[in-house]
């Protein structure tokens, strides 16, 4: 991706911000700062209304790009259909590659992450952090495809999954040989005995520790959202940070996804003007009460039950945070600018 | 709150059992909002997109979800990569979901199966994506093993839905 090109943006343009998703350009304003003219592009993330301002000169370097064309979507679908891609068995190499794909790989990069991890999961369950990455990549891929093709997101996701989970078939199981053939054989931290389909996808793989532990301390300082993200997430974020040190602002709205947007200015409104309708307000209807006595609602917790059978072992790492100390930081007050460091 | 609207007069037990399972899965109240009339001129199999768009409104708050349940078949969707059987559709991160149980025999006895499909569509409205775990309700529902699974989520999807729901409430 060229860092020297320019991307002319105008109010109303829809763009993709790497790792963040679809944004709409809400302003392009030139200000004078210290005698110099500086043009700032204001973006709003469609999904949740997060706002960010980026100097126009940095737009390309940051990787902001136009939504992919339908031709590009076609290529991506061709790629997903192909059976050529095998992830590296070396988890560090994999993590590095995937971080790059997420940041600079465009729509194809997202597809590569999804496809690579999908195929890997057919060999053995994904470790937690890669399961999260898989979800993040899938989320961005679906949203961009939906925008590019002007279809509902459910159709965009099903378009991909008609290839990844062909109708009427169960997913194939892979052998380590398939991977080794490509990887050159120096595996292997591979939990080959992992029970692929039945083994609890949420198991942490001891062989693949939370990546790059050294990054964590830096990230741990992040604290004013009062709570830790799952360690694995931090690690991924840390890796990412190394590659893209400019990303330095955390907006704690949505713990699900990294909310790091840019080095400039991030404002998290309490509700998204674009996608999510304004949240809850006065007077909800009388307390939810499924007809028929619900199983006694435990302390606002989840009622008894869930979990598919052959319950996957409770996650070791990503353990459910104690309710009060959830990974979900409280929403900042409206207009608060979440600035870190 | 999950509002369950039905396009047909259904066995009250079925609706009640469905609500109960939804409540257990999401820890969010679920109740029957009554029978609603389908958009006019629909021929079976029904066009699921049209249902999503044109199903009559039911009273709901903005962060409520509305699940439309029908006994009618839904038209398979023709996508760029092929035709997919359609047992439900939904607005991602939105409010509406549609689910059909036309393919389920003895639905009253098999509410769990219906609920598994409903869980997926509602899960999408909270932003969940498809899952790699065949036991999870978010696994693609056209796979052969899907109908036999439980009406529940894997740990990842459950935690994700909890976070999303908490976020929506905050
Ligand atoms: Zn689905
Ligand atoms: Zn799942």
């Amino acid at each position: 991706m060229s860092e020297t090109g320019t991307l002319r943006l105008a109010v109303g343009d829809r763009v993709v911000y790497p790792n963040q998703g679809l944004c709409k350009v809400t302003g392009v304003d030139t200000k004078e700062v210290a005698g110099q003219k500086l043009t700032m592009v204001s973006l709003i993330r469609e999904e949740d209304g997060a706002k960010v301002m980026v100097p126009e000169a940095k737009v390309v370097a940051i990787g902001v790009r136009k939504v992919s064309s339908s031709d590009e979507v076609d290529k991506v679908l061709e790629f997903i259909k192909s059976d050529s891609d095998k992830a590296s068995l070396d988890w560090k190499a994999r993590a590095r590659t995937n971080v790059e794909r997420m940041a600079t790989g465009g729509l194809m990069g997202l597809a590569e992450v999804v496809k690579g991890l999908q195929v890997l999961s057919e060999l053995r369950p994904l470790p937690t952090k890669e399961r999260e990455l898989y979800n993040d990549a899938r989320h961005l891929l679906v949203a961009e495809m939906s925008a590019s093709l002007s279809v509902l997101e459910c159709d965009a996701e099903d378009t991909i999954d008609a290839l990844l989970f062909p109708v009427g078939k169960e997913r194939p199981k892979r052998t380590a040989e398939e991977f080794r053939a490509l990887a050159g054989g120096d595996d292997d931290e591979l939990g080959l005995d992992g029970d692929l389909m039945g083994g609890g996808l949420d198991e942490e793989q001891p062989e693949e520790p939370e990546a790059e532990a050294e990054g964590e301390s830096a990230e741990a300082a992040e604290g004013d959202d009062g709570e830790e993200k799952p360690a694995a997430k931090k690690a991924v974020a840390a890796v990412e940070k190394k590659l893209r040190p400019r990303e330095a602002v955390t907006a704690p709205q949505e713990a699900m996804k990294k909310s790091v947007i840019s080095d400039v200015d991030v404002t998290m409104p309490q509700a998204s003007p674009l996608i999510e309708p304004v949240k809850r307000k006065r007077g909800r209807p009388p307390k939810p009460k499924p007809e028929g006595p619900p199983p006694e609602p435990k302390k606002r917790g989840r009622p008894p039950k869930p979990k598919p059978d052959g319950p996957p072992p409770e996650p070791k790492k990503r353990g459910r945070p104690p309710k009060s100390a959830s990974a979900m930081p409280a929403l900042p007050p409206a207009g608060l600018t979440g600035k870190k460091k | 709150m999950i509002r369950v609207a039905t396009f047909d007069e259904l066995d009250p037990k079925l609706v009640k059992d469905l609500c109960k399972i939804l409540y257990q899965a999401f820890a969010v109240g679920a109740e029957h909002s009554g029978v609603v009339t389908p958009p006019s001129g629909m021929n079976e199999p029904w066009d699921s997109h049209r249902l999503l768009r044109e199903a009559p409104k039911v009273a709901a708050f903005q962060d409520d979800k509305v699940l439309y349940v029908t006994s009618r078949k839904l038209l398979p969707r023709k996508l760029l990569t092929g035709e997919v059987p359609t047992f439900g559709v939904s607005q991602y991160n939105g409010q509406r979901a549609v689910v059909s149980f036309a393919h389920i025999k003895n639905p009253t006895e098999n509410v769990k199966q219906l609920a598994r499909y409903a869980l997926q569509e509602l899960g999408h409205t909270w932003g969940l994506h498809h899952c790699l775990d065949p036991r999870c309700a978010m696994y693609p529902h056209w796979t052969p093993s899907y109908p036999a699974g439980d009406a529940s989520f894997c740990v990842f999807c459950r935690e994700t839905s909890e976070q999303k729901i908490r976020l929506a409430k905050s």
Side-chain angles (χ1 to χ4, degrees):
Chain A
M1 198 158 277
S2 161
E3 306 240 328
T4 55
T6 54
L7 183 62
R8 283 265 153 242
L9 295 176
V11 173
D13 283 353
R14 247 180 143 183
V15 296
V16 177
Y17 197 119
N19 276 309
Q20 305 302 328
L22 292 173
C23 294
K24 189 160 260 170
V25 177
T26 56
V28 181
D29 305 292
T30 304
K31 294 175 198 165
E32 194 142 320
V33 177
Q36 287 206 313
K37 286 214 166 134
L38 181 64
T39 301
M40 299 295 289
V41 179
S42 303
L43 302 167
I44 185 165
R45 183 159 64 186
E46 298 191 357
E47 182 179 337
D48 61 2
K51 291 175 182 164
V52 59
M53 289 171 75
V54 182
E56 191 181 43
K58 288 183 76 180
V59 162
V60 172
I62 286 170
V64 173
R65 58 187 174 81
K66 291 270 173 72
V67 172
S68 299
S69 67
S70 58
D71 283 353
E72 287 168 294
V73 171
D74 286 344
K75 281 184 205 142
V76 159
L77 293 175
E78 261 326 297
F79 162 76
I80 292 177
K81 202 160 144 190
S82 72
D83 193 31
S84 58
D85 199 51
K86 301 286 184 298
S88 167
L89 288 186
D90 173 358
W91 67 269
K92 282 184 199 155
R94 213 160 61 224
R96 226 175 296 124
T97 311
N98 283 341
V99 164
E100 267 180 51
R101 285 167 168 166
M102 295 291 285
T104 62
L107 189 70
M108 184 62 90
L110 299 175
E112 286 168 349
V113 173
V114 170
K115 168 91 177 176
L117 292 177
Q118 172 101 12
V119 171
L120 183 63
S121 80
E122 289 161 1
L123 176 65
R124 60 101 220 253
L126 299 181
T128 303
K129 64 181 182 298
E130 289 193 302
R131 178 65 183 83
E132 289 172 346
L133 177 63
Y134 173 84
N135 199 61
D136 289 349
R138 177 175 273 272
H139 179 71
L140 296 168
L141 179 61
V142 166
E144 187 171 352
M145 275 184 53
S146 155
S148 173
L149 301 174
S150 300
V151 298
L152 293 177
E153 284 176 278
C154 64
D155 287 356
E157 182 158 38
D158 289 353
T159 297
I160 300 166
D161 286 330
L163 300 173
L164 292 175
F165 304 82
V167 173
K169 293 185 194 160
E170 292 301 333
R171 286 200 296 148
K173 303 203 178 188
R174 309 278 173 171
T175 63
E177 280 62 42
E178 289 179 66
F179 286 76
R180 289 198 187 96
L182 276 106
D186 75 326
D187 51 282
D188 173 275
E189 353 194 292
L190 207 59
L192 290 184
D193 49 351
D195 168 5
L196 176 57
M197 304 309 261
L201 289 171
D202 293 277
E203 264 171 301
E204 190 65 33
Q205 301 297 307
E207 297 83 358
E208 302 187 344
E210 317 73 80
E212 317 292 302
E214 78 273 16
E216 270 186 61
S217 49
E219 190 71 7
E222 159 169 318
D224 66 5
D225 56 351
E227 211 28 77
E228 70 282 359
K229 301 181 184 136
K233 191 87 182 177
K234 275 197 263 181
V236 169
V239 171
E240 182 170 349
K241 185 155 292 179
K242 271 197 284 195
L243 290 187
R244 303 188 303 141
R246 65 186 182 285
E247 308 260 283
V249 176
T250 293
Q253 163 131 4
E254 213 198 341
M256 233 106 273
K257 296 166 41 55
K258 291 168 283 289
S259 293
V260 180
I261 286 212
S262 100
D263 49 342
V264 189
D265 188 16
V266 176
T267 307
M268 305 297 297
Q270 64 200 350
S272 151
L274 285 183
I275 299 280
E276 298 277 21
V278 183
K279 313 287 156 141
R280 117 96 115 290
K281 27 233 52 161
R282 68 286 132 166
R284 307 194 91 209
K287 212 24 203 172
K289 203 162 288 173
E291 324 174 6
E296 58 292 9
K298 312 271 195 219
K299 18 66 179 196
R300 95 208 163 92
R302 162 161 301 268
K305 155 89 195 198
K307 206 172 291 186
D309 46 50
E314 275 301 352
K316 283 153 200 156
K317 279 302 165 14
R318 158 199 180 85
R320 297 232 247 175
K323 292 275 177 171
S324 55
S326 88
M328 179 67 50
L331 274 182
L336 181 123
T337 296
K339 219 161 242 185
K340 183 172 64 108
K341 116 172 172 209
Chain B
M1 172 74 95
I2 300 165
R3 313 271 173 183
V4 177
T6 54
F7 285 118
D8 325 78
E9 284 291 353
L10 301 181
D11 183 338
K13 180 176 186 313
L14 182 151
V15 180
K16 183 176 150 192
D17 291 350
L18 174 62
C19 286
K20 190 167 161 184
I21 297 172
L22 297 179
Y23 171 74
Q24 288 171 337
F26 292 105
V28 164
E31 71 176 23
H32 190 199
S33 290
V35 179
V36 295
T37 316
S40 61
M42 301 260 298
N43 295 315
E44 202 173 348
W46 283 359
D47 175 345
S48 55
H49 290 147
R50 196 170 159 215
L51 283 181
L52 265 192
R53 276 194 318 267
E54 298 177 21
K57 287 197 170 120
V58 303
F61 287 92
Q62 273 179 311
D63 59 348
D64 288 347
K65 304 299 181 186
V66 182
L67 175 70
Y68 294 92
V69 180
T70 179
S71 61
R72 312 301 182 95
K73 284 199 178 90
L74 300 179
L75 190 64
R77 283 163 301 147
K78 290 194 174 65
L79 306 174
L80 275 180
T81 49
E83 185 174 282
V84 290
T86 299
F87 308 110
V89 289
S90 47
Q91 297 172 331
Y92 281 32
N93 291 300
Q95 187 166 52
R96 292 179 163 209
V98 171
V99 70
S100 158
F101 60 90
H103 60 294
I104 299 176
K105 293 189 186 81
N106 300 322
T108 309
E109 265 85 78
N110 288 308
V111 183
K112 268 169 62 177
Q113 196 180 335
L114 163 58
R116 183 163 161 89
Y117 291 84
L119 245 57
Q120 172 155 149
E121 300 311 331
L122 286 167
H124 286 317
T125 67
W126 268 297
L128 299 193
H129 289 285
H130 289 159
C131 181
L132 293 163
D133 188 336
R135 295 163 301 173
C136 178
M138 296 312 295
Y139 197 66
H141 63 22
W142 55 68
T143 48
S145 64
Y146 189 85
D150 270 350
S152 58
F153 294 121
C154 71
V155 174
F156 180 87
C157 292
R158 180 160 47 87
E159 290 183 348
T160 305
S161 75
E162 283 174 354
Q163 284 178 313
K164 295 276 191 175
I165 290 168
R166 227 179 297 142
L167 189 72
K169 285 179 176 168
S170 57

